[in-house]
Amino acid sequence: EKPRTARMASRLLRSGILRHAAPLGKQIRHSSLSKPNPFMSSFSTEVPVLQSATYVGLHNIRDNPGARKKRKIVGRGPGSGRGKTCGKGHKGQKSRGAMKKPFFEGGQTPLHRKLPKRGFKNPNKVRYEPVNVGDLVQRIQQGRIDPTQKITIKSLFDAGLVNNVRHGVKLLASGIEGLTSLDCPLNIELSHASAEAKGAVEELGGTVTYRYFSRRGLRAHLKPHRFHPNLMPGPSIPPVRLRERYLPSMEEELLDYYDHLVRTEDDLPRRNKDDIGSAQQ
């Protein structure tokens, strides 16, 4: 009786799988066939009976040719060609350092110092993440936003309309014609909105209110699971330059939450002077 490997090779040869010799693996010798086989009509018995099969295992798995490059060996004597000076030559700046300083031009005045300065970067600039009305209507039609509830920045964040929110979200008027396809008016609470977008929402019976968030308050609003329930920040007090926009919708909430705020003659909540004096004492 043939050994087990010879029997397996015979079956593979009859089925036509082993027709080409492989470069690696064990070689299996197959004896001449004694009986005709209908499956061998396309395989001539006059070909060499020595066939080889590749067995993939831990002993022959390797990288593709050229995948691993040999490291450069330097400083091993003059016979290697990269001996004493390691192929960098004698003296000079290029033989002593890595020469990777950005914008370095060999000691001459670099280009970025030759050109004059112009303008400045405003550190107080507020950069809102834009959201188009058409994209908002599309998310509502997909069922990812509930139009019967108040649409906040958290709703837009969960629906994938905004991602990296630093200061807030602004609603833009692109795609306002899609508002007529909705069945109910929208109640939206964002950081800002264009006049055209706000007018289109209010014309159909909806509302657009503004709410100010500090950086910490915005993180707590978008990702409340990262804050302890007892350490959640309260409503953010808008700065003086933005109070005309946010106080009409946030004034009552701020006065109810913070005891040190009082209403003044100009109807702006300010810090109570008595509280300031008691805190200094």
Side-chain angles (χ1 to χ4, degrees):
E1 185 179 359
K2 298 179 182 179
R4 182 178 178 183
T5 55
R7 294 198 306 270
M8 292 176 61
S10 300
R11 296 194 188 100
L12 293 176
L13 286 170
R14 291 193 186 97
S15 60
I17 296 178
L18 292 181
R19 292 187 180 182
H20 304 284
L24 298 176
K26 302 178 181 179
Q27 291 185 345
I28 303 172
R29 184 174 297 278
H30 174 65
S31 61
S32 60
L33 302 176
S34 58
K35 297 181 180 180
N37 192 333
F39 296 101
M40 299 296 291
S41 59
S42 61
F43 181 77
S44 176
T45 58
E46 298 178 357
V47 298
V49 295
L50 185 62
Q51 301 288 340
S52 63
T54 303
Y55 296 92
V56 180
L58 295 177
H59 65 286
N60 59 6
I61 292 181
R62 63 190 66 184
D63 287 329
N64 295 328
R68 297 175 63 116
K69 185 178 179 181
K70 295 181 64 176
R71 70 184 185 92
K72 182 179 179 181
I73 299 177
V74 297
R76 294 300 183 270
S80 63
R82 293 185 293 269
K84 180 174 70 71
T85 56
C86 304
K88 289 192 173 185
H90 292 277
K91 301 183 182 179
Q93 188 176 14
K94 292 185 178 180
S95 66
R96 292 187 170 96
M99 291 294 294
K100 293 183 179 179
K101 186 177 180 180
F103 307 107
F104 182 69
E105 300 180 10
Q108 70 179 8
T109 305
L111 181 63
H112 68 276
R113 292 186 60 189
K114 290 180 180 179
L115 300 178
K117 295 181 181 180
R118 181 177 178 179
F120 72 103
K121 292 184 178 180
N122 186 3
N124 298 321
K125 182 178 177 60
V126 179
R127 295 176 174 85
Y128 296 117
E129 288 295 315
V131 173
N132 295 323
V133 176
D135 296 335
L136 176 61
V137 173
Q138 183 181 9
R139 293 299 194 280
I140 293 175
Q141 293 174 350
Q142 293 174 355
R144 302 178 65 177
I145 296 179
D146 187 5
T148 60
Q149 303 294 329
K150 180 184 291 187
I151 300 175
T152 61
I153 301 179
K154 171 71 171 172
S155 306
L156 304 178
F157 180 79
D158 295 339
L161 282 175
V162 291
N163 184 15
N164 187 17
V165 184
R166 295 175 59 87
H167 299 100
V169 176
K170 183 175 181 179
L171 185 66
L172 302 181
S174 177
I176 57 177
E177 60 275 2
L179 291 173
T180 57
S181 62
L182 301 179
D183 300 334
C184 60
L186 301 180
N187 297 322
I188 305 174
E189 184 183 74
L190 300 175
S191 303
H192 197 23
S194 64
E196 187 177 358
K198 183 177 179 181
V201 174
E202 293 178 347
E203 184 179 355
L204 297 176
T207 59
V208 177
T209 57
Y210 299 145
R211 184 177 182 85
Y212 175 77
F213 286 100
S214 62
R215 296 293 296 273
R216 186 168 181 268
L218 188 59
R219 288 196 302 268
H221 178 66
L222 297 179
K223 301 176 181 179
H225 59 278
R226 295 190 176 183
F227 290 78
H228 192 274
N230 297 334
L231 300 178
M232 290 289 290
S236 304
I237 302 177
V240 177
R241 59 190 177 89
L242 298 177
R243 286 183 178 178
E244 293 183 2
R245 180 189 304 168
Y246 294 109
L247 281 184
S249 58
M250 296 183 61
E251 183 176 3
E252 297 299 332
E253 182 181 3
L254 292 174
L255 292 174
D256 294 341
Y257 188 86
Y258 297 104
D259 297 333
H260 64 277
L261 295 180
V262 294
R263 193 186 304 274
T264 57
E265 296 179 358
D266 53 356
D267 294 335
L268 295 178
R270 302 288 179 85
R271 186 180 294 271
N272 193 349
K273 296 182 179 180
D274 299 336
D275 295 343
I276 298 176
S278 60
Q280 293 178 354
Q281 295 177 359

